[in-house]
């Protein structure tokens, strides 16, 4: 049996819900990535060019800090990374986390939740940030979409 860890970042709870559905389906462990500084509603107001999320997403050097320590991946065969879509790509905190993880020898896949984006640019970002060719990621929202996607990875 493949031992799986689902790492996810969820500010509003949407990605958390999908990650929990996936963990239940796979019998996987969950790890929630928490921002060192929580994101407020004002931080995520995309119509404000100066909001925190806009500044982070538009800055190639941005690496928002996460809280706590990342899990030890030694005992896992597969790591699935879940995130919302912010400005067509994963939040930059995902990049910070990926730079601090050793994914050597792990099967890696990623998914997102979104109200209106596709996964095309997020896929490209995740492959760039991991340095890996990943299975096709997808926007997921329901138990049915989770089961269908899991059958493709």
């Amino acid at each position: 049996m493949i031992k799986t860890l689902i790492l996810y970042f969820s500010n509003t709870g949407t990605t958390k819900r999908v990650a929990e559905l996936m963990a239940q389906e796979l019998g996987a462990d969950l790890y929630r990535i928490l921002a060192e500084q929580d994101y407020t509603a004002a931080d995520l107001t995309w119509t404000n060019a100066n909001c925190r999320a806009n500044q982070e997403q538009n800055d190639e050097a941005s690496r928002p800090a996460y809280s706590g320590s990342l899990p030890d991946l030694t005992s896992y065969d597969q790591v699935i990374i879940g995130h919302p879509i912010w400005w067509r790509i994963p939040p930059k905190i995902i990049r910070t986390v990926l730079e601090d993880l050793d994914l050597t020898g792990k099967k890696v896949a990623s998914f997102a939740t979104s109200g209106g984006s596709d996964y095309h640019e997020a896929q490209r970002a995740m492959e760039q940030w991991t340095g890996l060719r990943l299975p096709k990621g997808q926007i997921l929202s329901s138990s049915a979409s989770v089961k269908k996607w899991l059958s493709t990875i």
Side-chain angles (χ1 to χ4, degrees):
M1 181 172 183
I2 294 176
K3 186 161 183 190
T4 301
L5 175 66
I6 300 167
L7 288 163
Y8 71 94
F9 175 72
S10 184
N11 200 64
T12 64
T14 303
T15 306
K16 177 182 186 230
R17 183 182 55 77
V18 173
E20 288 171 344
L21 288 169
M22 191 174 295
Q24 184 176 22
E25 185 70 25
L26 294 174
D29 293 335
L30 283 168
Y31 178 86
R32 183 173 183 185
I33 299 162
L34 296 171
E36 188 174 81
Q37 178 186 348
D38 289 338
Y39 289 89
T40 66
D43 291 335
L44 299 174
T45 305
W46 64 271
T47 55
N48 175 358
N50 294 318
C51 80
R52 176 179 164 200
N54 274 338
Q55 290 176 11
E56 291 174 358
Q57 293 301 94
N58 291 321
D59 179 359
E60 185 57 31
S62 178
R63 301 295 188 278
Y66 54 85
S67 178
S69 299
L70 295 175
D72 179 359
L73 302 182
T74 307
S75 66
Y76 295 99
D77 306 300
Q78 176 172 254
V79 178
I80 299 174
I81 303 157
H83 58 83
I85 297 281
W86 288 3
W87 298 261
R88 300 176 312 283
I89 63 171
K92 290 287 183 78
I93 192 170
I94 296 295
R95 188 171 192 175
T96 309
V97 167
L98 291 172
E99 289 176 349
D100 290 348
L101 285 177
D102 181 2
L103 297 170
T104 306
K106 307 298 177 195
K107 181 179 177 186
V108 180
S110 62
F111 72 92
T113 55
S114 175
S117 295
D118 63 29
Y119 203 72
H120 181 74
E121 288 187 56
Q123 178 85 26
R124 190 173 23 213
M126 290 299 289
E127 288 182 349
Q128 178 188 357
W129 297 350
T130 62
L132 302 170
R133 177 89 172 121
L134 303 179
K136 188 174 184 324
Q138 200 161 10
I139 304 296
L140 303 174
S141 61
S142 66
S143 181
S145 66
V146 166
K147 288 179 185 182
K148 183 176 179 181
W149 180 72
L150 287 173
S151 74
T152 70
I153 64 162

